[in-house]
Amino acid sequence: MGSPRSALSCLLLHLLVLCLQAQHVREQSLVTDQLSRRLIRTYQLYSRTSGKHVQVLANKRINAMAEDGDPFAKLIVETDTFGSRVRVRGAETGLYICMNKKGKLIAKSNGKGKDCVFTEIVLENNYTALQNAKYEGWYMAFTRKGRPRKGSKTRQHQREVHFMKRLPRGHHTTEQSLRFEFLNYPPFTRSLRGSQRTWAPEPR
C-alpha cells in the first residue's frame, strides 16, 4: 500500500490539472475564435420595457421601436467564440450594434472590434441580457419609449436590459421539404429463353 503522503500528492496533482483545464476553458471563451466554424442565427430582439423590437436603421440610429416583422428589426447574430459571445448586425443595413466609451449604442459597418461583441446572459426570468465584452458591466438597454440607454447606467436586474428572442414573422426554423422527381422508365416484360429468364422491354 502507498503511503498517505503519496496519496495526498496524487490528489493535489489531480486538483491542479482540473484547475488548469478550467482556467484554459475560461480564457478561451474570452478570446475571439478565428478557427471554429461560426454559428449564424436570425431573430428579433423584443424589448421588455418598450414592448417593441430592436432595429438598426440606415441612418445608423438604433432603437427599440420596431413592430413585429419590420425589415429593420431582423437581426443577424454571429457567434464570436465557442461560448456565448455574439456580434449583432441588422439584416437590412448590415450595420453592427456596438458601444462606445461613453456607453452609447452606435452602429458600425465594421464589427470586428471588441466594442461590437456582447455576451448573452440568460436570466432566471427567461429573458436575455446582452453585456458588452469591452465594457464589462455595461448592457444593451432601452427606455420605455424605445430610446437607447447609456450602458454606464445599466444593471443586470433592470427591466431595460431584458430582451426576448423572437423569430421574424414568416421565418421558419425548418427547411422546406425536398421535391423528388420521378423518372418514367419503359415497362418491362418477362420472356423465357430456354431455361433462363430475362427481362426485355415491351415492344412499342
Side-chain angles (χ1 to χ4, degrees):
M1 295 179 63
S3 64
R5 180 175 297 180
S6 61
L8 180 60
S9 300
C10 292
L11 179 60
L12 292 176
L13 180 61
H14 182 67
L15 291 175
L16 178 61
V17 171
L18 291 177
C19 291
L20 291 175
Q21 290 177 345
Q23 182 179 359
H24 175 72
V25 172
R26 184 167 56 252
E27 290 176 352
Q28 289 300 313
S29 65
L30 298 177
V31 178
T32 299
D33 185 2
Q34 300 292 345
L35 300 177
S36 301
R37 186 176 181 181
R38 296 185 179 183
L39 177 66
I40 297 178
R41 295 168 289 170
T42 303
Y43 55 69
Q44 300 176 129
L45 276 179
Y46 173 82
S47 171
R48 185 182 181 186
T49 49
S50 70
K52 300 292 180 65
H53 298 82
V54 177
Q55 62 179 348
V56 185
L57 301 175
N59 59 4
K60 294 190 175 183
R61 291 185 180 274
I62 303 170
N63 60 52
M65 303 178 185
E67 299 291 344
D68 183 21
D70 191 303
F72 291 100
K74 185 178 180 180
L75 304 175
I76 306 297
V77 182
E78 309 167 355
T79 56
D80 186 67
T81 65
F82 63 84
S84 56
R85 291 164 53 129
V86 298
R87 301 175 192 270
V88 183
R89 61 182 170 90
E92 190 73 15
T93 62
L95 298 173
Y96 288 86
I97 299 178
C98 309
M99 185 177 288
N100 64 15
K101 60 182 179 180
K102 295 182 179 180
K104 181 181 179 181
L105 291 179
I106 58 175
K108 289 185 176 182
S109 57
N110 187 339
K112 293 183 179 180
K114 197 175 180 181
D115 56 332
C116 301
V117 178
F118 292 86
T119 302
E120 289 184 323
I121 303 174
V122 180
L123 307 174
E124 294 181 356
N125 56 8
N126 293 325
Y127 281 94
T128 299
L130 294 167
Q131 180 181 222
N132 191 264
K134 184 175 182 178
Y135 306 104
E136 189 173 351
W138 291 8
Y139 296 83
M140 184 188 301
F142 296 90
T143 65
R144 290 184 178 180
K145 294 184 178 181
R147 297 172 182 171
R149 186 173 184 180
K150 286 188 176 181
S152 56
K153 297 182 179 180
T154 60
R155 298 293 183 272
Q156 190 180 113
H157 67 275
Q158 296 172 338
R159 294 171 59 94
E160 289 85 350
V161 309
H162 296 177
F163 301 94
M164 184 177 293
K165 301 174 186 177
R166 286 182 171 180
L167 288 176
R169 182 181 296 178
H171 185 84
H172 301 287
T173 55
T174 57
E175 296 182 358
Q176 294 182 351
S177 58
L178 297 176
R179 295 181 178 179
F180 295 93
E181 294 183 358
F182 295 90
L183 301 178
N184 293 321
Y185 288 99
F188 287 83
T189 58
R190 187 170 58 185
S191 62
L192 295 177
R193 293 181 181 177
S195 60
Q196 295 182 348
R197 292 183 177 182
T198 60
W199 294 91
E202 288 183 347
R204 295 183 178 179

